[in-house]
Amino acid sequence: MDTLWLHIVQWLHTLGLHVDGGTARAVGDAAATATAQLDMPSLLALAAALGWASGFRLYAVVFLVGMMGVLGWMPLPPGLAMLQHPVVLLVSGCMLLVEFFADKVPWLDSAWDAVHAFIRVPAGAALAFGVFGADNATMAIAAGLLGGSLSATALATKMTTRAAANTSPEPFSNWGLSFFEDGLVVAVVWLATQYPVAFGIALVVMVVVSVLLLVVLFKFLRAVVRRLSSFFSGSAKVASTCSTKS
């Protein structure tokens, strides 16, 4: 925690805000006490929320949680303290903006999700792992497995529903789903941090709905996988032909 608050004080100095050492120490001690008071349901809810929300909007989750820590809205566990670093906030904020607009374009959203499937699931597991950190390795591993599974489930649900929406010629259904996901991420993180038990109930409902959607709309997921496979194989053939001619 001392290293964390040293980084925060240095960051404030770059903004022209000078904080003396005594004040920084007092704030740091208060945050450490608040973090220590987080009970097991709160930590589990936070880990599950980070995993689930990462399947929809990874960069939004990283930026949102980091800013909540910087603004003092929520004391972050030590394993998530790096999310408050200015570099992490800058990168996640930029990627958040890129993803926000890419997610509003039909079929580009599916391609974006397919590429980021290799990032979101491990990142969701890593964020959930960080809630407990190395100090509680057993719970950290369990949380990592939970977060990765929830992230994969959320991502599969997102890709399936988007594939179904993209078959419609009008863009409004796609836009509606995208804005709904934006709000869902904020709501999930807020609910998990404020009302862990209520979030647990909501999470069970969301997982059940996700499973039902995956069963009902599975053919659309296969359709988007085939289309993306054709796209990438076609690009590879074009590149191979060009290289042969040259």
Side-chain angles (χ1 to χ4, degrees):
M1 292 298 296
D2 291 339
T3 303
L4 165 63
W5 285 104
L6 176 60
H7 286 311
I8 293 177
V9 171
Q10 292 175 345
W11 179 65
L12 291 174
H13 284 176
T14 62
L15 299 178
L17 301 175
H18 300 285
V19 181
D20 62 88
T23 302
R25 170 69 64 178
V27 175
D29 291 342
T33 301
T35 303
Q37 292 175 347
L38 291 175
D39 55 10
M40 187 59 66
S42 298
L43 292 174
L44 286 173
L46 179 59
L50 296 181
W52 176 262
S54 294
F56 290 103
R57 295 283 193 279
L58 171 62
Y59 305 115
V61 170
V62 174
F63 181 80
L64 178 61
V65 175
M67 285 303 300
M68 290 176 70
V70 169
L71 297 175
W73 293 353
M74 180 181 70
L76 298 185
L80 299 178
M82 73 289 294
L83 301 184
Q84 302 175 115
H85 195 282
V87 174
V88 176
L89 289 173
L90 177 62
V91 173
S92 61
C94 291
M95 293 304 298
L96 184 160
L97 292 176
V98 173
E99 185 171 63
F100 178 84
F101 292 105
D103 198 69
K104 304 298 185 292
V105 181
W107 292 114
L108 175 61
D109 61 338
S110 295
W112 179 273
D113 290 336
V115 172
H116 284 78
F118 302 98
I119 302 176
R120 290 179 184 172
V121 176
L127 289 172
F129 180 93
V131 171
F132 291 92
D135 294 336
N136 193 342
T138 301
M139 288 303 302
I141 293 174
L145 294 173
L146 174 66
S149 300
L150 290 174
S151 179
T153 302
L155 176 62
T157 305
K158 172 183 169 63
M159 293 182 66
T160 303
T161 53
R162 285 307 186 86
N166 286 336
T167 59
S168 175
E170 46 79 28
F172 303 108
S173 57
N174 185 285
W175 295 344
L177 283 172
S178 182
F179 282 116
F180 172 76
E181 292 165 7
D182 294 332
L184 181 63
V185 169
V186 177
V188 163
V189 174
W190 175 82
L191 188 63
T193 55
Q194 302 300 315
Y195 304 100
V197 177
F199 167 76
I201 298 173
L203 179 63
V204 172
V205 174
M206 290 189 292
V207 170
V208 171
V209 172
S210 294
V211 172
L212 292 176
L213 285 174
L214 289 174
V215 172
V216 174
L217 302 177
F218 181 70
K219 65 177 182 179
F220 291 102
L221 181 61
R222 289 190 300 178
V224 73
V225 170
R226 285 197 301 267
R227 177 167 294 201
L228 290 173
S229 299
S230 300
F231 174 79
F232 287 116
S233 62
S235 300
K237 289 180 181 178
V238 171
S240 176
T241 302
C242 293
S243 61
T244 302
K245 290 181 180 181
S246 60

